[in-house]
Amino acid sequence: MNNERRVSLALTSTPMILIYVMVVFCVIAAIRQPAFLSPATLINLCRAGIFTMCFAICEMVVIISGGIDVSFPAIGCVAMYVPMYMYNNGMGVDSVFFFFGVAILIGLAFGILNGVLVAILKLPPLIATLATSSVASGGLIMLLGTREFTTLPPSLDWLYSINLLTYTDPATGFKYPLTILFLVPVILCIVVALVLRYTMLGRGLYAIGGDKNAARVAGFNVKKLQFTAYIFCSVMASATAMMYTTLMHSSTTTALMGEEMIIIAACVVGGCRLTGGHGSVGGTILGVLLITLVQNNLNMLGVPTSWQIFAVGLVLLLGAVLSSIQAKRIEKLGKI
Amino acid sequence: MADEVFLKLVGIKKSFGGVHALQGVDLEIRKGEIHCLAGENGCGKSTLIKAISGVHIPDEGSIRIDGEEMKNMKPMDAINRGIQVIYQDFAVFPNLTVAENIALNGELKDGVKRVSWRQIHKVAAEAMARVGVKIDPDIRLERLSVANKQLVAICRAIMNDARLLILDEPTTALTAREVESLWDIIRSLKEKGIAIMIVNHKLDEIYQIADRLTILRNGSNISTGAISEYDQERFTKDMTGRDIVQQKYQPAENKEEVLKVENLTRQGSFENVSFTLYKGDVLGITGLLGSGRGEIGEALFGLAPAQSGKIWLNGKEISIQSVSDAIRNEIGYVPEDRLTQGLFMDRSIRDNTIAASIRSYLKRGKLDEREMEEATERWIREIDIKAPSTRPPVRTLSGGNAQKVVIAKWLNTDPKLFILDGPTVGVDIGAKAEIHSILHDLASRGIGIIVISDDLPELVQNCNRILVMKDGRPSGILDNSIDEVSLGKMLIGA
């Protein structure tokens, strides 16, 4: 392939098109609403993207390994609700370690359950995690009721109050703080990207997502890798859920329910293939950015917020069409 | 050196729940020789490979590598002794790059935890240099042709200090030119002292490459010897255990037209194709890949309809613009890739047999179970599909039997014209002969038969007329007095 073809392919690759769409979106928003260009927009975007980003990385790892996990919102709800419930009923200590520790243990337990269902019992991942989701969500409501905790314990309140930086709008005097928890998705992205690219564990996840049988023949421990993916997803989603409680001052049994579809969509827009073996941290970041941008700044374009779901739908459609066109283009290039 | 024995099997027996897959096989592989293993489906070839590679532990018999007795050999022991198997699916990763596919397995075996991309590229470049292939190491495997995927698998095997390379039916999905270059690579590996065992059942290919040949039948080795000791007759007899008389097909003279095609053209595929098919004729269409041979079949079945030209079927002019036009005119079509295009692999023989004629079993909104069952049983009997009942999924059948199910599917529609693209690809000798006699029988009953194939011996034996395509144009219609060699020359235009 000559260099010109290479460049033209790179310029029209899916990530580049996502970037173009985002740039166009921002330019239009900036023309209609000069306030869009304020640093406040960026800070809001970062805040709004924290959860989506963390969840998307979790889901991406499972999708790369050839599976899918629709149970993380339900597991997250259990993980955010149970520690708060314990605390409010006099069981437990007021410590960041307690809240996050219990959340992570809960995530670990459900991650192992998903691993057993998928890797050992060989259930289809969609059905297995759907079952886990119902069991987790239903069990929580059945055993612990449906309260809503809106007051944070002092330790979490302390965590909430630490900011990385605060921007004060010179015109209005409004303060826009960026929480320290923003570092979590940043570090997560870096670590996961490095693990996926530079460790046998990471390459193993791609390998089992590409061809399980070939991976077995090559000597990869397929079951162990599947367990790793599901446990990582649940544990990280549980910690993210506790971050949600901290930042939103709210812990309910259903706060995250329904999130799975938009997260999976963000992964797919970012280049993950649901058949497994494909996906990257960079692509997923782009997918999350685009969806977060559209979700939070539609009003800047002068589009009513009631159009939000519709607009997100359009973004998904764009992602799906893009990957299908890309696949056709590659096919046209012919086999080598 | 050439006569030193690397691997010696004596009296290998293996049973699975009462089925004797191997009943005492002796085999000797010498260092640096190319040894072909031939036999029909179910003769025990794959069990034997698995015994050699340590996947199955034999019930009886001894395996010696380099003179050393191997007891309870495990896959890892075999690999450490330098035995590498390349299975038909290659066990490669479609989503990873060429370099990674070549190097990853070795790194994994060495217990490497951190991946060094520089090391991976180095290993891959070394392996490709040793085997003598050049493929862009950064390209993903899903973009490669079957031939190149196979080369990647060979590179990977070589990296693990292979001393015996076993290839399981390596040529089934390759074009003639790709087979040639595979043979070149195999010969260069032989030069390096690596023993090669190739499972194959195409005699012409075995002649091209093998030093020695072992024929397996019903779990026993029937004969072993230098390739020069075998001719077509002995090969066929040892393979099947019966004499298959190979006589050229010659129908009785008949001037009754079944199909007439005039100036059929589809831009970019073929131009001005004209021919007439008389009652009793089996017409062969051949040509190199891309010559338009397959496209003519697709046009007649409406998959990629012709843009101009005329078609008469049994004296009536018809127009075929879609598959449903073709089916309405009672045309049947067996595609080249029957596994993905012609069969529902996980459904039963019955479901597949009635798949193209299901409408005729719809009585008052219900499918007539009994009639469907009877029809399927009739075809199982008539064309001798080897199956215990109408129930087993097609996936469980051998290649030859699966192909018979595709044929049954179309016969059940009672076709006037029957087009088969590569009807015996992946089918062993015995079943091949049966399929051919089914086709001859159909032709004599007045059904027009078109066989599209690049298997020249098959065409010369079974078609009484052969249309040769070159670059989208017909370059001649021959009768079957031509021999394979001159036909082959005509294909490449020499």
Side-chain angles (χ1 to χ4, degrees), chain A residues 1 6 64 196-201 203-220 273 276-278 330-331 333-336, chain B residues 79 87 89-97 100 104-105 107-109 112-117 120 135-136 139-146 148-149 156:
Chain A
M1 203 177 343
R6 246 176 229 263
I64 286 175
L196 284 180
R197 177 117 186 110
Y198 293 107
T199 67
M200 214 36 124
L201 168 67
R203 300 324 288 170
L205 290 171
Y206 281 100
I208 63 170
D211 188 327
K212 278 198 184 54
N213 190 37
R216 197 170 298 122
V217 174
F220 283 107
R273 285 197 214 159
H278 292 266
I330 289 184
E331 204 171 296
L333 286 177
K335 300 272 183 186
I336 295 172
Chain B
I79 289 170
Y87 292 103
D89 65 353
F90 310 139
V92 288
F93 302 105
N95 57 329
L96 302 184
T97 64
E100 232 183 331
L104 200 62
N105 291 14
E107 301 278 289
L108 187 66
K109 273 189 199 88
V112 176
K113 290 262 185 285
R114 277 188 46 212
V115 176
S116 152
W117 286 86
I120 283 188
I135 307 173
D136 180 352
I139 211 156
R140 284 198 178 135
L141 232 68
E142 58 192 355
R143 298 255 345 258
L144 296 189
S145 64
V146 179
N148 278 336
K149 277 184 194 156
R156 183 180 63 192

Side-chain angles (χ1 to χ4, degrees), chain A residues 51-75:
Chain A
F51 313 121
T52 319
M53 193 68 242
C54 290
F55 286 138
I57 291 289
C58 298
E59 186 68 53
M60 179 195 79
V61 168
V62 175
I63 291 177
I64 286 175
S65 81
I68 193 138
D69 188 344
V70 294
S71 66
F72 70 87
I75 295 171

Side-chain angles (χ1 to χ4, degrees), chain B residues 35 47 73 76 100 141 148 176 180 221 239 245 272 275 318 323 368 374 396 415 432 435 457:
Chain B
H35 196 117
T47 314
M73 188 167 67
M76 221 33 166
E100 232 183 331
L141 232 68
N148 278 336
E180 273 305 315
N221 50 325
M239 287 273 281
V245 189
N272 291 330
F275 58 82
I318 58 172
V323 173
D368 190 329
E374 277 169 5
T396 61
K432 218 169 170 175
I435 288 175

Side-chain angles (χ1 to χ4, degrees), chain B residues 270 285 288 291-299 333 336 421 452 469:
Chain B
F270 53 84
I285 300 182
L288 298 174
S291 63
R293 64 171 147 97
E295 285 79 357
I296 296 175
E298 288 180 357
Y333 175 70
E336 189 170 22
D421 195 345
I452 302 167
M469 295 293 296

Side-chain angles (χ1 to χ4, degrees), chain B residues 138-261:
Chain B
D138 290 319
I139 211 156
R140 284 198 178 135
L141 232 68
E142 58 192 355
R143 298 255 345 258
L144 296 189
S145 64
V146 179
N148 278 336
K149 277 184 194 156
Q150 185 175 51
L151 294 181
V152 168
I154 291 176
C155 290
R156 183 180 63 192
I158 291 306
M159 272 335 282
N160 297 303
D161 292 320
R163 300 183 58 211
L164 169 61
L165 192 60
I166 302 176
L167 296 123
D168 190 5
E169 305 204 18
T171 60
T172 32
L174 302 188
T175 64
R177 193 163 307 159
E178 288 165 341
V179 171
E180 273 305 315
S181 61
L182 175 66
W183 291 160
D184 286 342
I185 283 167
I186 299 273
R187 283 187 202 107
S188 82
L189 294 177
K190 171 193 151 111
E191 299 282 306
K192 297 188 170 79
I194 297 172
I196 317 272
M197 184 168 113
I198 300 173
V199 176
N200 199 336
H201 45 229
K202 291 188 196 152
L203 183 62
D204 49 340
E205 288 179 358
I206 294 174
Y207 269 127
Q208 291 163 13
I209 189 75
D211 298 323
R212 295 200 306 145
L213 172 66
T214 292
I215 293 180
L216 223 57
R217 192 173 74 225
N218 297 330
S220 316
N221 50 325
I222 297 301
S223 65
T224 290
I227 189 68
S228 52
E229 296 167 21
Y230 288 86
D231 57 12
Q232 172 94 34
E233 220 170 295
R234 175 172 178 209
F235 181 75
T236 311
K237 188 161 192 300
D238 284 357
M239 287 273 281
T240 60
R242 56 201 145 130
D243 288 303
I244 293 179
V245 189
Q246 298 244 346
Q247 233 175 10
K248 286 191 177 179
Y249 174 66
Q250 200 57 59
E253 186 82 5
N254 198 323
K255 281 289 160 208
E256 203 178 315
E257 279 179 16
V258 176
L259 174 76
K260 188 169 160 192
V261 170

